[in-house]
Amino acid sequence: MGQKPTANGQDEFIPTRHSLLSRLKDWNDDESWKEFFDTYWKLIYRTGLRAGLTDMEAQDVVQETILSVAKAMPAFKYDPGIGSFKAWLQQLTQWRIGDQMRKRRPDEAQANRRAAETVRTSTVERIADPATPESEHLWDKEWERNLMDAALERVKQRVDPKQFQIFDLSTIQKWPVNKIVDTLQINRGRVYMAKHRISRLIKKEIAYLKSRTE
């Protein structure tokens, strides 16, 4: 999935984002689609909640947005010169949120659903109103939060559980070093080493994701 660790520790646990987007052209590549879903579903879901959707509606937005990505993949060509992947995903998410808002009107729900199915693959007909500066700012903040969450999860799955526990207690839960030492029965040096190593891995992961998707 990600690149193999090198001898000097460079690029540990880092995914190849462009390669991932290319692999998504194969709808049967379950591993790549799982990686994509695991990386971005929270971003889409939380954006839906922030827009005023219910939990169920936000879940539907996740499903419909991922479906939109899947339908676009056969002809998809990533070109940073034209637009960023981040902006493209934001646009798809906004369209699907708009679909959910329109479904709230009982007298128009069925018509909107049929219309959405008819024009779903038409880029021109699906263009929504331009994003406002405020919505772009909120998307950027949510994007950064999502990158952190995704990086944390990927690193957590690959490092020693005890090391990640130490990092979680010291960095995320903000426990004092003395409390960690007493609770886990370890020396202070181990706390500092775990915090430094995992923080470094997470920073590398985030930097790479930014360079490949913005």
Side-chain angles (χ1 to χ4, degrees):
M1 188 179 299
Q3 295 177 349
K4 294 181 180 179
T6 57
N8 62 1
Q10 293 288 326
D11 297 330
E12 282 186 286
F13 315 141
I14 291 177
T16 304
R17 189 58 44 191
H18 286 176
S19 296
L20 173 60
L21 292 177
S22 297
R23 295 198 304 272
L24 294 183
K25 292 179 181 293
D26 180 2
W27 286 11
N28 296 315
D29 189 341
D30 294 337
E31 182 179 354
S32 295
W33 276 105
K34 181 180 184 303
E35 181 182 350
F36 182 83
F37 182 86
D38 289 347
T39 302
Y40 295 108
W41 81 266
K42 286 183 180 179
L43 170 66
I44 300 167
Y45 175 78
R46 289 192 294 231
T47 300
L49 291 181
R50 195 182 65 235
L53 299 183
T54 65
D55 171 74
M56 186 64 69
E57 289 171 332
Q59 290 185 40
D60 286 345
V61 165
V62 172
Q63 295 178 11
E64 290 298 322
T65 302
I66 298 298
L67 179 60
S68 295
V69 172
K71 289 184 175 182
M73 276 299 113
F76 183 84
K77 291 183 180 179
Y78 182 71
D79 185 351
I82 296 177
S84 68
F85 169 75
K86 180 173 73 172
W88 182 64
L89 187 61
Q90 179 189 17
Q91 189 176 53
L92 289 180
T93 302
Q94 289 176 330
W95 287 340
R96 301 294 83 84
I97 290 172
D99 289 344
Q100 287 297 320
M101 292 296 188
R102 285 186 288 274
K103 288 178 183 179
R104 289 180 170 184
R105 303 171 188 169
D107 57 332
E108 299 179 10
Q110 286 297 104
N112 283 335
R113 182 172 299 180
R114 294 194 187 98
E117 289 301 320
T118 302
V119 303
R120 192 172 297 280
T121 58
S122 172
T123 301
V124 174
E125 293 182 65
R126 298 295 297 160
I127 292 178
D129 292 335
T132 64
E134 181 182 6
S135 68
E136 289 183 353
H137 174 68
L138 291 173
W139 176 263
D140 287 344
K141 288 182 62 176
E142 198 62 60
W143 180 270
E144 294 293 330
R145 177 185 175 189
N146 187 73
L147 286 178
M148 173 60 77
D149 287 349
L152 277 169
E153 187 59 32
R154 288 181 63 84
V155 172
K156 180 180 179 180
Q157 292 175 7
R158 290 164 171 80
V159 300
D160 177 73
K162 189 75 169 184
Q163 279 204 329
F164 193 86
Q165 181 186 24
I166 296 170
F167 170 81
D168 176 67
L169 293 176
S170 63
T171 305
I172 299 176
Q173 299 190 41
K174 305 294 185 182
W175 279 27
V177 173
N178 288 341
K179 183 178 179 180
I180 298 173
V181 169
D182 292 341
T183 302
L184 302 182
Q185 293 297 297
I186 58 176
N187 61 57
R188 299 175 67 90
R190 191 171 177 187
V191 176
Y192 295 128
M193 288 296 294
K195 182 176 180 179
H196 171 75
R197 178 172 182 265
I198 295 179
S199 294
R200 176 173 55 85
L201 292 175
I202 291 172
K203 286 179 181 178
K204 285 185 177 181
E205 184 79 12
I206 292 173
Y208 187 87
L209 289 173
K210 284 185 175 181
S211 71
R212 294 300 187 182
T213 57
E214 296 185 349

